[in-house]
Amino acid sequence: MFTKHLGLNTESERKVGKITVKLSHSILSAWAKGQSEQAIGYYLGKDLPASDAMELGKLNHEIWERYITKNKSLPVELGGGKLRDPITEQKYRKLIPFSDNYQILISGVLDLEDDNVITDFKCGRSEATSYTDSFQMDYYKLLRPDAKTGVYRCWNPYLKKLTIGIRFLSDKDAERALEHIITFGGEMILYLASQKLLVDYKGTI
């Protein structure tokens, strides 16, 4: 059921006449948790109120990206260590058939890729164990099938503490992501269509 979806990511595979619904892990995670207003806000590209913690996290991400690009190594607060060929803040997209009328475009931005390892940076009070069972790495595996390992590096700026969580990735994780997308993406599409909020994405895939 799932494997036929895993390779679809090129412009030529866009089906003429179908509405393309652009979604992401952040959107569908909020929707799955019952945070419909937040999910719809993300979907419509609305600026949601940012907390001080969110602003601090954004700033740290920018600092870490510049450091990695310049030095090809991790910052000390994220554990340090040389990287082989790091790619930072890269966006990926994959087109997924859904129904006769709709197709779903999943997009995601990866904090860091290096040697088939995907690393996601977090900044805040939560430890890595609170993220390892989430669907985020499953989505990343769907977007990057060659990835073998997912790593969460969570920096607590208040306690100056780093925690690390590791996921070993397989095709089953991509299938789990796909099932999550079809289930909650389907719910969201029906709701958006009923409220006349559905936007047909016409950008480059």
Side-chain angles (χ1 to χ4, degrees), residues 6-112:
L6 299 183
L8 300 181
N9 62 355
T10 66
E11 178 69 24
S12 62
E13 289 161 337
R14 183 200 292 270
K15 300 300 182 182
V16 177
K18 285 192 176 187
I19 294 174
T20 301
V21 185
K22 186 182 176 185
L23 300 172
S24 67
H25 170 261
S26 297
I27 293 170
L28 292 177
S29 178
W31 183 267
K33 293 175 183 175
Q35 300 167 351
S36 56
E37 185 175 347
Q38 184 176 356
I40 293 169
Y42 285 150
Y43 173 73
L44 296 176
K46 293 182 178 179
D47 292 329
L48 301 178
S51 65
D52 290 343
M54 290 171 63
E55 291 293 343
L56 178 60
K58 182 180 178 181
L59 175 61
N60 274 314
H61 269 71
E62 292 172 354
I63 292 171
W64 294 335
E65 180 189 4
R66 289 197 298 270
Y67 183 94
I68 291 168
T69 301
K70 179 180 179 181
N71 300 286
K72 288 195 173 184
S73 63
L74 287 168
V76 173
E77 62 268 30
L78 293 178
K82 284 292 183 181
L83 298 169
R84 183 176 177 182
D85 189 21
I87 301 172
T88 59
E89 298 298 319
Q90 180 66 47
K91 178 182 284 187
Y92 294 100
R93 291 172 173 166
K94 188 174 289 288
L95 193 62
I96 299 170
F98 178 70
S99 71
D100 291 339
N101 298 318
Y102 302 106
Q103 53 195 354
I104 297 174
L105 179 63
I106 288 294
S107 65
V109 178
L110 278 60
D111 290 340
L112 172 64

Side-chain angles (χ1 to χ4, degrees), residues 1 18 27 32 42 82 125 136 139 141 152 174 193 195 203:
M1 174 180 177
K18 285 192 176 187
I27 293 170
Y42 285 150
K82 284 292 183 181
R125 299 184 186 279
Q136 187 174 16
Y139 275 62
K141 175 65 176 177
Y152 289 100
Q195 300 299 310

Side-chain angles (χ1 to χ4, degrees), residues 31-32 98 181-192:
W31 183 267
F98 178 70
I181 291 164
I182 296 300
T183 299
F184 295 105
E187 288 182 8
M188 196 167 178
I189 287 170
L190 289 174
Y191 178 82
L192 292 168

